[in-house]
Amino acid sequence: MEIVNVKNLKKLYGDFLAVDNISFHINKGEIFGFLGPNGAGKTSTINMLTGLSRPSGGEIHINSIDAVRDIKKVQRIIGIVPDESNLYGEMNGFDNLCFCAALYGMEKKEREKKAKELLNLFNLTEAGNRPFRAYSKGMKRKLTIAAGIIHNPKILFLDEPTTGIDVESARHIRKLILDLKDKGTTIFLTTHYLEEAQRICDRIALIVKGRIVKIGTVNELMESTMQGHIVQLTYQGRMETVQKELKEHFPGCTIKILSNDSSQLINKEPVPLFPLLQLLHNKGVSVYEAKEIKPTLEDVFVEITGLETDRANK
Amino acid sequence: MKTLTAFWNILIKDIRNYYLKPPNISWGIIFPLSWTLMQIIRSTENIDIIQLLPGLMAMSILFGTTSMLAVTITFERRGRSFDRLLLAPVSLSILVLAKISGAVLFGCLNAFVPVIFASFFVSLGGINWGILFTAVFLIALTSTLIGLLIAVSAKEVFEAQTLSNFFRFPMLFLCGLFLPIQQLPAALRPISFCLPLTYGTDLLKGTITGSSIMHSAFSILMLLAFAAGLFLISRRSIQKKWIL
């Protein structure tokens, strides 16, 4: 069941077309990844979906509500975690959470109870009475996420939730995102970390220069760019001498010699390992490692977008 | 009820975070006091505190409200915490009302600092307190809305402060506080009547010293019209400039 439906969405800043006629939907309860290089239009899209920006054209329906015409109704059922923490530095963690809950009209007792629960869930109970400005980056991120979910939103928009924080906090946040999904929250996630998206997203849309260039499940995206099945072999012996026999046994396969002791076999169909290893063994090539090489989401991203990703992100 | 909860909490948050901070409390007390002392020192004759009171009250409100709101909103915009308010399910009108309420209260309290001091030296028995409270509230409201308009135009805190002064000082000299409007050059008089502070000052003068040039009902109506106009312009500017 679709909970977000976007049709021909467009955003112009003067003459600059930031979002160019994009259409997509998000199913209820899924984690939808929205990936793209810097300046691709991710934040512009989030801003239009959440009401921080007005679309120049197109339609947005969230939970069957027309978000272009009635954004305040939509804002009741969505939670937003921006890429930069936007809580109040002079207020402590507990008061920040209570204030955010009050913006959604929650009663005092209810918001205090929920704030305590969330501080506990995010391991921030001890820091609860410290000013927000004294928090570390990871703690700030966690509290900002807590503020985004304090009113139990049906849909949570997360803009790069793990960027610039330590490994432990990032792992904790990823676990919390998956827990939220288990509880039925639909999540719209933008991230620079392709490995993270591959690990937690159900479906992914790739956006480049304001246009969605590919959309699908992680497997669908990877299959769309797969040239064939690749087996990488590490061995002792001379691969050059058995190339002819290999091509006879596996017609259509290509052999790519990587080094003196390593080669790749690329075939349209999956390569059966046992006959392959037996053949090589009979020809004096002793294989001591054979592994299937699958493209990563980063490979897909690079191929589809034609852009190099930031390797440091890996 | 949900709207009221949000409104109340935005107001309380602003009062705690900004208006109850020691520098602002001391500003509210020191500013009117220093103006009073300045008037006493520069005067060669015995000073009539009653004559000084409308000007001191008007200045205290104007300086307190315009600077506070312009600075706090610009500060929140820079820290992006204002986005959190824009993303909340609260209508823009309620949000604007909640944000200005703290500054209006601050301005009203500032206005009564000189009144409290004056009460130790002169009798304030002849004052129509109903009109005085109305005048103080309406001056605070219109000045706060001017502060909001400044905040919408400024990106940085220093810009907000510079812009505030750009509006405040000409207003002080043109609204009849220092020089009666009748004594201003003929070319400047029409400008005076385009300033909300002119009507506020006249109301205060009328009720404190009995020397107004306009009927109090007319001044109240003009101040209400200015407040409504400024509210609508501010709301529209926020929608246009901050919800891109």
Side-chain angles (χ1 to χ4, degrees):
Chain A
M1 189 193 158
E2 292 173 11
I3 194 163
V4 176
N5 203 324
V6 173
K7 274 184 195 160
N8 307 321
L9 191 64
K10 201 191 259 186
K11 182 68 195 177
L12 272 160
Y13 293 106
D15 291 336
F16 176 68
L17 189 59
V19 176
D20 185 4
N21 238 17
I22 62 169
S23 300
F24 64 91
H25 73 269
I26 305 174
N27 296 317
K28 198 174 178 183
E30 77 175 354
I31 300 181
F32 184 80
F34 205 59
L35 310 185
N38 286 335
K42 300 187 297 287
T43 303
S44 292
T45 306
I46 284 202
N47 285 348
M48 285 190 281
L49 295 178
T50 56
L52 212 50
S53 167
R54 276 187 302 270
S56 308
E59 293 173 27
I60 305 167
H61 283 90
I62 295 179
N63 206 31
S64 304
I65 305 165
D66 185 343
V68 180
R69 298 177 78 179
D70 208 350
I71 190 65
K72 290 294 157 190
K73 241 185 196 172
V74 169
Q75 284 171 339
R76 287 220 166 274
I77 56 156
I78 62 172
I80 303 123
V81 180
D83 53 348
E84 275 176 51
S85 297
N86 62 357
L87 294 170
Y88 296 88
E90 53 283 358
M91 281 160 70
N92 67 36
F94 179 75
D95 287 346
N96 260 304
L97 290 183
C98 287
F99 176 69
C100 291
L103 291 177
Y104 292 86
M106 283 166 73
E107 292 299 321
K108 197 178 178 196
K109 266 189 182 173
E110 191 192 352
R111 56 182 188 248
E112 285 183 354
K113 186 175 166 247
K114 197 75 208 273
K116 279 179 192 163
E117 274 173 26
L118 285 171
L119 285 172
N120 188 35
L121 180 70
F122 284 83
N123 297 334
L124 292 169
T125 305
E126 273 180 39
N129 56 5
R130 291 216 304 263
F132 181 66
R133 62 166 175 264
Y135 281 25
S136 70
K137 215 169 177 181
M139 288 160 80
K140 280 184 177 171
R141 210 83 199 102
K142 285 185 198 173
L143 198 77
T144 311
I145 296 175
I149 58 172
I150 196 155
H151 58 293
N152 297 322
K154 284 186 178 176
I155 309 159
L156 182 63
F157 290 87
L158 288 162
D159 199 358
E160 297 178 19
T162 54
T163 300
I165 58 171
D166 63 277
V167 177
E168 197 192 337
S169 299
R171 279 171 65 100
H172 191 200
I173 287 171
R174 276 195 289 271
K175 189 186 171 299
L176 287 161
I177 293 171
L178 290 169
D179 288 347
L180 282 171
K181 175 195 151 84
D182 288 344
K183 285 177 191 160
T185 310
T186 306
I187 293 160
F188 181 100
L189 172 91
T190 76
T191 178
H192 273 133
Y193 301 110
L194 301 173
E195 205 184 312
E196 176 177 276
Q198 187 169 356
R199 212 184 302 168
I200 66 173
C201 291
D202 296 305
R203 287 195 311 130
I204 287 170
L206 296 178
I207 182 169
V208 181
K209 291 180 184 167
R211 306 191 76 157
I212 291 182
V213 289
K214 206 89 186 174
I215 194 162
T217 62
V218 175
N219 282 339
E220 281 167 357
L221 290 182
M222 291 201 289
E223 276 166 19
S224 71
T225 57
M226 264 168 81
Q227 305 291 324
H229 294 267
I230 305 169
V231 175
Q232 186 164 315
L233 305 168
T234 312
Y235 48 80
Q236 262 186 335
R238 290 181 61 82
M239 183 61 84
E240 295 88 340
T241 57
V242 288
Q243 280 198 43
K244 201 178 157 196
E245 283 89 343
L246 275 175
K247 285 196 174 176
E248 276 169 16
H249 278 82
F250 304 101
C253 94
T254 318
I255 297 151
K256 198 170 153 190
I257 296 174
L258 303 174
S259 65
N260 284 339
D261 62 352
S262 164
S263 296
Q264 279 185 350
L265 249 79
I266 304 157
N267 198 26
K268 276 196 173 173
E269 299 300 319
V271 182
L273 271 182
F274 186 68
L276 171 70
L277 298 178
Q278 204 167 32
L279 175 77
L280 291 170
H281 181 74
N282 292 343
K283 296 288 171 189
V285 178
S286 308
V287 177
Y288 51 89
E289 190 180 63
K291 62 180 176 188
E292 193 188 5
I293 303 289
K294 278 191 170 176
T296 62
L297 191 59
E298 181 159 335
D299 298 326
V300 177
F301 184 86
V302 170
E303 184 168 327
I304 291 173
T305 62
L307 296 162
E308 277 300 323
T309 54
D310 181 3
R311 297 278 167 186
N313 283 345
K314 280 187 91 177
Chain B
M1 193 60 195
K2 283 186 172 181
T3 303
L4 194 67
T5 306
F7 172 90
W8 180 249
N9 278 276
I10 294 171
L11 173 61
I12 295 297
K13 186 265 301 168
D14 279 356
I15 290 175
R16 280 191 192 143
N17 279 6
Y18 308 121
Y19 303 111
L20 285 183
K21 293 284 183 217
N24 295 325
I25 296 174
S26 59
W27 160 273
I29 297 167
I30 290 168
F31 182 79
L33 265 182
S34 54
W35 275 96
T36 314
L37 280 173
M38 204 170 76
Q39 293 292 331
I40 293 167
I41 291 163
R42 68 178 273 273
S43 173
T44 48
E45 298 159 21
N46 275 345
I47 204 143
D48 186 355
I49 290 174
I50 283 288
Q51 294 296 326
L52 280 181
L53 207 50
L56 286 171
M57 290 175 76
M59 279 194 294
S60 302
I61 302 170
L62 183 69
F63 277 81
T65 51
T66 47
S67 55
M68 279 306 287
L69 197 72
V71 169
T72 55
I73 289 195
T74 315
F75 179 71
E76 285 193 358
R77 284 279 301 154
R78 272 197 60 73
R80 293 184 65 184
S81 45
F82 199 83
D83 284 355
R84 183 160 286 281
L85 304 178
L86 291 173
L87 289 167
V90 182
S91 76
L92 198 53
S93 298
I94 296 293
L95 175 58
V96 171
L97 279 176
K99 290 304 285 182
I100 64 171
S101 295
V104 170
L105 272 174
F106 184 72
C108 291
L109 291 175
N110 270 5
F112 286 98
V113 172
V115 178
I116 292 165
F117 281 108
S119 68
F120 291 113
F121 304 102
V122 287
S123 162
L124 302 174
I127 292 175
N128 180 336
W129 291 99
I131 292 182
L132 186 97
F133 278 114
T134 310
V136 165
F137 173 74
L138 289 173
I139 298 171
L141 182 61
T142 48
S143 305
T144 301
L145 286 164
I146 290 171
L148 183 59
L149 265 181
I150 291 166
V152 181
S153 312
K155 282 191 177 136
E156 302 284 343
V157 173
F158 74 85
E159 255 181 79
Q161 282 166 329
T162 313
L163 265 174
S164 302
N165 289 333
F166 182 78
F167 284 102
R168 282 188 301 215
F169 287 103
M171 268 171 78
L172 277 181
F173 290 104
L174 291 169
C175 74
L177 264 181
F178 295 110
L179 201 64
I181 292 173
Q182 303 91 307
Q183 289 176 29
L184 284 172
L188 291 178
R189 265 177 249 161
I191 303 172
S192 297
F193 290 103
C194 295
L195 303 172
L197 196 61
T198 303
Y199 302 94
T201 309
D202 198 60
L203 257 182
L204 287 177
K205 277 185 175 173
T207 184
I208 297 172
T209 65
S211 60
S212 61
I213 56 167
M214 288 172 279
H215 194 277
S216 57
F218 176 72
S219 294
I220 289 171
L221 271 177
M222 285 305 289
L223 282 167
L224 283 172
F226 271 110
L230 287 165
F231 179 82
L232 291 173
I233 296 169
S234 306
R235 193 188 174 285
R236 197 168 166 271
S237 302
I238 291 175
Q239 204 150 29
K240 214 173 162 190
K241 289 194 172 180
W242 292 348
I243 305 173
L244 295 170

